[in-house]
């Protein structure tokens, strides 16, 4: 599901604040730069508000943000809906005991880690990131949460690149997106 399809007037303002940078970080990539959105307090607030409106009252107890840009959107959403924020980090960034989930990228392998005990069995979780491309990172995040017994309610991303078909890799889990780029 996408807010864009629902024609919320805030979406166009948000979309105009996302800068597309051609050939970054390598030739052929059209990089979706959210830093320009963060420079506009209204667009940033509208982004958070749209997510909060969707998830308030859904009994979500965990907002899991994927490093690094999920750390920008996840904490304000968690605070507004009364949930805890759990960072899902790259390897060796969290002190103490962690649980890990390795995943395959189009150019190699990567891994997400979470503190042991950060999420309890039966908790309802929302996974937040800035963008879904191929879906590998979101799948790893969901697997990590489900391995400790959490129920992943939905994944939420600011941007979707539908031509990369990441949505199809989410094993039927709902995905909520504000902006789609073709």
């Amino acid at each position: 599901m996408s807010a864009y399809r629902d024609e919320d007037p805030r979406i166009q303002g948000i979309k105009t604040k996302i800068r597309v940078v051609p050939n970054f970080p390598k030739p052929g990539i059209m990089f979706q730069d959210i830093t320009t959105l963060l420079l506009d307090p209204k667009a940033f607030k509208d982004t958070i508000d749209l997510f909060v409106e969707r998830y308030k009252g859904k009994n979500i107890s965990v907002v899991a943000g994927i490093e690094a840009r999920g750390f920008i959107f996840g904490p304000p959403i968690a605070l507004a809906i009364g949930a805890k924020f759990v960072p899902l980090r790259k390897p060796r960034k969290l002190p103490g005991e962690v649980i890990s989930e390795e995943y395959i990228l189009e150019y190699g392998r990567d891994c997400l880690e979470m503190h042991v005990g950060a999420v309890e069995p039966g908790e309802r979780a929302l996974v937040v990131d800035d963008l879904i491309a191929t879906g590998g990172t979101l799948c790893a995040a969901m697997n990590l949460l489900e391995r400790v017994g959490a129920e992943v309610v939905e994944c939420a991303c600011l941007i979707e690149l539908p031509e990369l078909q990441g949505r199809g890799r989410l094993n039927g889990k709902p995905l909520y997106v504000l902006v789609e780029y073709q």
Side-chain angles (χ1 to χ4, degrees):
M1 172 170 222
S2 168
Y4 182 70
R5 289 189 205 120
D6 295 339
E7 301 298 324
D8 189 299
R10 295 172 288 185
I11 297 297
Q12 190 55 39
I14 291 167
K15 189 171 184 175
T16 64
K17 297 301 177 182
I18 299 169
R19 176 174 57 172
V20 179
V21 181
N23 300 312
F24 182 83
K26 61 185 185 178
I29 302 292
M30 299 296 283
F31 186 79
Q32 309 295 312
D33 182 13
I34 64 159
T35 60
T36 48
L37 178 134
L38 301 175
L39 294 172
D40 185 307
K42 181 182 181 339
F44 186 26
K45 182 179 184 315
D46 285 347
T47 301
I48 299 303
D49 288 349
L50 283 162
F51 286 126
V52 169
E53 289 164 15
R54 180 165 180 85
Y55 299 112
K56 196 142 191 115
K58 300 268 171 114
N59 297 316
I60 292 169
S61 56
V62 175
V63 174
I66 297 173
E67 186 169 346
R69 291 177 292 271
F71 295 2
I72 295 169
F73 300 104
I77 295 167
L79 285 171
I81 67 172
K84 62 184 170 184
F85 177 75
V86 175
L88 304 180
R89 302 224 45 199
K90 300 293 182 182
R92 297 172 301 284
K93 301 283 186 179
L94 291 171
E97 192 177 354
V98 298
I99 181 172
S100 302
E101 181 73 25
E102 192 172 283
Y103 59 102
I104 297 171
L105 298 165
E106 55 275 17
Y107 51 83
R109 294 183 166 282
D110 211 342
C111 182
L112 286 177
E113 294 183 341
M114 174 178 74
H115 276 127
V116 169
V119 178
E120 300 295 326
E123 288 197 279
R124 291 172 49 83
L126 170 67
V127 178
V128 176
D129 204 0
D130 69 323
L131 181 139
I132 178 171
T134 63
T137 308
L138 285 177
C139 285
M142 291 189 302
N143 290 343
L144 196 57
L145 291 160
E146 289 171 347
R147 281 175 46 208
V148 299
E151 174 193 351
V152 176
V153 175
E154 193 163 76
C155 296
C157 295
L158 171 59
I159 302 165
E160 179 179 13
L161 304 176
E163 71 276 3
L164 297 179
Q165 302 176 349
R167 184 182 292 264
R169 291 187 61 197
L170 300 182
N171 301 320
K173 289 288 184 201
L175 171 67
Y176 182 67
V177 172
L178 296 185
V179 176
E180 295 176 353
Y181 281 96
Q182 300 300 326

